[in-house]
Amino acid sequence: MSRRNMLVSATTTVALAVLACQAASPPQDTARDPKYTLKIPNGLAFSEFEGYESWQTIAVSHNGDKLALILGNPTMIEAYKAGIPGNGKPFPDGAKMVKVHWNIAKADSEPGQPLVPVSQHDVDLMVKDSKRFADGGGWGYGTFDYDAASNTFKPGTTADIPPQGNDAKCGFTCHTLVKAKDYVFTKYQTR
């Protein structure tokens, strides 16, 4: 083998070894978002929804003073695509929804003066677990309020409007209005 071929072979071997080590190594940035340490007493933990930021959009809503983005995990999206709840079937255990609320303002300097998000308000969580939340229609609920000044979240409390209890069923009272839709208000929007 020529000296040049040996050098190319050695360089290739070293490069492949480095790539293999990098692929096998865990990511260097292992800092976890502090919100994922929060938990509602006797209820949902924010960590149960880790990664929700990349979930698919189900719909958006606007209630007058807040804008909301409603996201679903893959189990929720597949259930919607299968026709649930319109087909009369319940959502499967493991289906999860997240509703991110933002305070809004009119963007006077933009064409059409649209309402745009200006600061986050809270994150609402909802998970189907018919055993764990049997007394809540099979769903567990939770709200985590956002504090812009400290850039942190905290579990909702009974002082909130509507009151957020510590049993992960804070949303159940409102959601009984849509019992026939397996307690889910949001319709999966066409694309």
Side-chain angles (χ1 to χ4, degrees), residues 148-189:
S150 64
N151 190 29
T152 60
F153 288 88
K154 65 178 179 62
T157 69
T158 54
D160 292 338
I161 299 174
Q164 306 299 312
N166 293 333
D167 59 359
K169 289 183 280 305
C170 58
F172 183 60
T173 302
C174 292
H175 285 256
T176 57
L177 296 171
V178 287
K179 182 178 180 180
K181 296 179 185 178
D182 195 22
Y183 302 95
V184 174
F185 282 104
T186 306
K187 179 182 175 191
Y188 186 68
Q189 298 301 313

Side-chain angles (χ1 to χ4, degrees), residues 19-100:
L19 289 173
C21 287
Q22 287 177 339
S25 299
Q28 296 301 311
D29 182 20
T30 56
R32 190 168 188 210
D33 189 326
K35 69 184 172 198
Y36 291 123
T37 63
L38 300 174
K39 185 178 190 303
I40 295 171
N42 302 317
L44 295 179
F46 216 134
S47 62
E48 295 177 63
F49 296 80
E50 193 161 358
Y52 74 89
E53 298 89 345
S54 64
W55 291 357
Q56 186 174 335
T57 299
I58 297 170
V60 294
S61 68
H62 174 246
N63 71 354
D65 65 341
K66 290 183 194 60
L67 182 66
L69 175 65
I70 301 106
L71 306 166
N73 73 344
T75 303
M76 189 75 178
I77 299 300
E78 288 305 313
Y80 272 125
K81 288 180 177 180
I84 297 171
N87 62 9
K89 294 181 180 177
F91 286 94
D93 280 359
K96 296 178 183 179
M97 296 175 72
V98 172
K99 185 185 280 189
V100 182

Side-chain angles (χ1 to χ4, degrees), residues 107-176:
D108 292 324
S109 63
E110 295 182 23
Q113 299 177 326
L115 296 173
V116 296
V118 292
S119 62
Q120 190 166 2
H121 184 271
D122 65 62
V123 174
D124 296 340
L125 310 175
M126 191 169 162
V127 62
K128 182 71 177 269
D129 186 331
S130 55
K131 291 180 182 150
R132 185 173 164 201
F133 303 111
D135 59 345
W139 290 94
Y141 306 88
T143 294
F144 292 85
D145 298 322
Y146 179 72
D147 178 55
S150 64
N151 190 29
T152 60
F153 288 88
K154 65 178 179 62
T157 69
T158 54
D160 292 338
I161 299 174
Q164 306 299 312
N166 293 333
D167 59 359
K169 289 183 280 305
C170 58
F172 183 60
T173 302
C174 292
H175 285 256
T176 57

